[in-house]
Amino acid sequence: MSDAYERERYKQILPFSPIPPRQTYTTPPALRPPRQNNSRLDELASKVSALRGVTVDIYDNARSHEVIDNTNEVFSSMSSSIKGSAGRLGRMAQAGNKVAILKLAAMIVGAVVLLWWILSWFW
């Protein structure tokens, strides 16, 4: 006999049903068919792969920011060094020493020629 028939029969006799309604249970992972386990493993593998990609991207981004910060520090120290040297050269030129002014002019011409020679390699 079917469950529905028995429920109807007992409803006539009793106001409540002694036969509990069918309940759906989820099967534990160990008893699931291998096909379902494999699909779940594939889903998990894709999520882990995506998480790994995000982690690597975050690491690369943080490392690039560290390089940028180091570069900023180097350029700021170089900038302050050049400013200090330019100030000293300016004071030397203001002193009116003719030899010092010629040395300054020779340094500037030498720097321009050196820069032109280095840049000629790349163009």
Side-chain angles (χ1 to χ4, degrees), residues 1-73:
M1 287 198 216
S2 72
D3 286 340
Y5 175 75
E6 288 180 23
R7 278 195 191 97
E8 286 300 318
R9 201 173 101 206
Y10 281 114
K11 276 187 185 177
Q12 294 170 355
I13 299 170
L14 300 170
F16 61 91
S17 175
I19 301 173
R22 287 192 180 192
Q23 296 178 355
T24 57
Y25 297 101
T26 58
T27 54
L31 300 177
R32 287 187 189 142
R35 205 176 26 228
Q36 191 175 7
N37 284 341
N38 289 342
S39 68
R40 298 233 180 202
L41 282 174
D42 291 340
E43 290 173 14
L44 183 61
S46 68
K47 288 178 183 178
V48 167
S49 173
L51 183 61
R52 183 182 300 136
V54 168
T55 305
V56 168
D57 289 344
I58 290 172
Y59 175 75
D60 289 342
N61 195 5
R63 212 170 82 196
S64 69
H65 283 293
E66 183 178 310
V67 169
I68 290 170
D69 290 341
N70 287 342
T71 305
N72 285 340
E73 289 175 18

